[in-house]
Amino acid sequence: VVKIHQDRSATVKSDSRQLRGLLRDCVLLEPTGNFTRSVVHRVAVEAIDTRERCDLDWFGHCKIAGEEVPADGKVEAHWWKRLAVSEPLPADCELECIEMEIEGMDQGWGCSGDSGVLLTVLRGRSGEEVEDIVVPLDFDRQKSKSTSHRLEVRDFAGLCAPHCGDRLSVVLRSPHYGGWSAYCSSARVKVLMRKVEEVPESLPLPSSWRHAAEEVFAGVWDRLHDDKFLKIDRSHLSIEGLQRQGVFAPLRVTPTERDLTLAPALEQLTAPQPSIENAQRLFAKLDG
């Protein structure tokens, strides 16, 4: 096998010739090398662990460990104060889960639910960083009167998802409404990551590799009966994939330069002529 292509075809070498055919039509006769197995390592990183108490009121007055410090600014109706920033997330890892534990609460009277802690992500070079909110943790006495809060995040889809090299940050926020305030006495952020290592297999492989290959194929076949294992292979829906499988015949009429110049734009689009026989062969392969 010389190369495996994205359209699920393979280029194979036979004597001095190179042939290209569908991967499903190729039969592995003998392994000759470059075989690897995937080993998954799970890495736990204590990204943030701060125990200094921070108080922030509706004037923007801020104290950390009893010492007055300026707030970082106001975003819309809320004062912000950054509590801690992590080191860059390790490279070559995939983020699986973020666990955040916070000790804090709002002023304890009147309204509640508009202050709390933000988990944000900082990306870019120092001085040119972009900050996005990953998830907020609100102090809301109507939901919980406890000062201990725990949050777990596993869905990282979207533009705000942290990536390798980004830094995590914990921000205390409090609105500028009269009488409001909030505090945070400790913040801890733990990151669980997944790293996949490709380990080369030594040759020669044991003679049982053929039996193992049959077992793997049988397992995949059995799982097709369960919808949760079923995924759509869109390679057969692409124009290139259909052309390689001979579903469409090549055009027999080529428009002249004058036709392309004078004809309307929509009339210049010419669809390939279908080949019924090849299409039936394709569907027979898919059904099989």
Side-chain angles (χ1 to χ4, degrees), residues 7 9 16 93 97-98 139 153 220 227 272:
D7 60 356
S9 64
S16 60
C93 290
C97 177
I98 296 179
F139 297 156
V153 185
V220 173
D227 289 344

Side-chain angles (χ1 to χ4, degrees), residues 126-157:
S126 179
E128 300 178 0
E129 290 178 322
V130 176
E131 184 170 19
D132 293 312
I133 298 175
V134 178
V135 62
L137 192 155
D138 295 329
F139 297 156
D140 192 343
R141 294 178 181 271
Q142 297 178 357
K143 296 180 180 179
S144 174
K145 298 183 181 300
S146 174
T147 59
S148 299
H149 313 271
R150 188 178 186 277
L151 186 64
E152 185 176 286
V153 185
R154 290 187 177 272
D155 185 8
F156 299 102

Side-chain angles (χ1 to χ4, degrees), residues 219-277:
V220 173
W221 188 263
D222 291 339
R223 284 172 172 80
L224 290 177
H225 295 288
D226 194 338
D227 289 344
K228 70 179 181 180
F229 294 105
L230 188 60
K231 293 184 178 180
I232 297 177
D233 183 357
R234 299 186 181 273
S235 64
H236 300 294
L237 305 181
S238 66
I239 297 298
E240 181 182 0
L242 294 176
Q243 288 176 341
R244 291 192 180 281
Q245 298 181 62
V247 177
F248 298 112
L251 287 176
R252 297 174 181 173
V253 179
T254 304
T256 64
E257 183 177 354
R258 181 176 182 276
D259 295 333
L260 294 175
T261 304
L262 300 179
L266 291 178
E267 295 179 5
Q268 296 181 33
L269 301 177
T270 56
Q273 302 299 317
S275 174
I276 302 300
E277 181 181 352

Side-chain angles (χ1 to χ4, degrees), residues 6 9 24-25 37 40 61 82 93 97 103 113 137 143 151 201 218 222 228 267 282 288:
Q6 291 185 348
S9 64
R24 69 180 65 169
D25 296 333
R37 56 187 173 89
V40 178
H61 298 158
R82 195 179 311 281
C93 290
C97 177
E103 188 75 23
L137 192 155
K143 296 180 180 179
L151 186 64
E201 292 281 10
D222 291 339
K228 70 179 181 180
E267 295 179 5
L282 171 62

Side-chain angles (χ1 to χ4, degrees), residues 15-240:
D15 297 330
S16 60
R17 298 181 303 164
Q18 287 192 358
L19 306 175
R20 184 166 178 176
L22 295 178
L23 188 59
R24 69 180 65 169
D25 296 333
C26 299
V27 179
L28 181 62
L29 297 178
E30 181 182 359
T32 59
N34 296 329
F35 285 88
T36 62
R37 56 187 173 89
S38 299
V39 179
V40 178
H41 304 280
R42 283 182 165 77
V43 182
V45 178
E46 291 286 346
I48 293 176
D49 188 3
T50 177
R51 308 287 176 172
E52 291 185 331
R53 176 176 173 126
C54 178
D55 295 87
L56 183 63
D57 67 14
W58 67 289
F59 281 113
H61 298 158
C62 182
K63 288 184 178 181
I64 295 182
E67 181 180 351
E68 291 189 4
V69 294
D72 294 330
K74 189 165 64 173
V75 178
E76 296 179 350
H78 293 82
W79 292 100
W80 281 31
K81 182 59 183 178
R82 195 179 311 281
L83 304 180
V85 179
S86 74
E87 295 294 325
L89 296 179
D92 302 327
C93 290
E94 178 184 349
L95 195 60
E96 284 192 334
C97 177
I98 296 179
E99 299 175 355
M100 183 167 66
E101 296 179 358
I102 299 295
E103 188 75 23
M105 187 48 79
D106 58 16
Q107 70 280 351
W109 57 269
C111 296
S112 184
D114 204 12
S115 62
V117 169
L118 301 175
L119 177 65
T120 68
V121 58
L122 298 169
R123 50 174 58 95
R125 295 179 299 178
S126 179
E128 300 178 0
E129 290 178 322
V130 176
E131 184 170 19
D132 293 312
I133 298 175
V134 178
V135 62
L137 192 155
D138 295 329
F139 297 156
D140 192 343
R141 294 178 181 271
Q142 297 178 357
K143 296 180 180 179
S144 174
K145 298 183 181 300
S146 174
T147 59
S148 299
H149 313 271
R150 188 178 186 277
L151 186 64
E152 185 176 286
V153 185
R154 290 187 177 272
D155 185 8
F156 299 102
L159 297 176
C160 298
H163 298 284
C164 296
D166 295 342
R167 297 187 299 161
L168 298 177
S169 171
V170 175
V171 178
L172 178 65
R173 68 169 182 172
S174 182
H176 68 170
Y177 314 141
W180 281 69
S181 64
Y183 79 91
C184 176
S185 57
S186 67
R188 177 176 173 268
V189 177
K190 183 179 180 180
V191 179
L192 303 179
M193 310 191 77
R194 177 176 179 267
K195 183 176 182 179
V196 180
E197 180 184 6
E198 296 296 331
V199 179
E201 292 281 10
S202 59
L203 290 178
L205 295 178
S207 59
S208 60
W209 71 269
R210 291 181 182 274
H211 178 66
E214 293 177 358
E215 287 185 348
V216 171
F217 179 80
V220 173
W221 188 263
D222 291 339
R223 284 172 172 80
L224 290 177
H225 295 288
D226 194 338
D227 289 344
K228 70 179 181 180
F229 294 105
L230 188 60
K231 293 184 178 180
I232 297 177
D233 183 357
R234 299 186 181 273
S235 64
H236 300 294
L237 305 181
S238 66
I239 297 298
E240 181 182 0

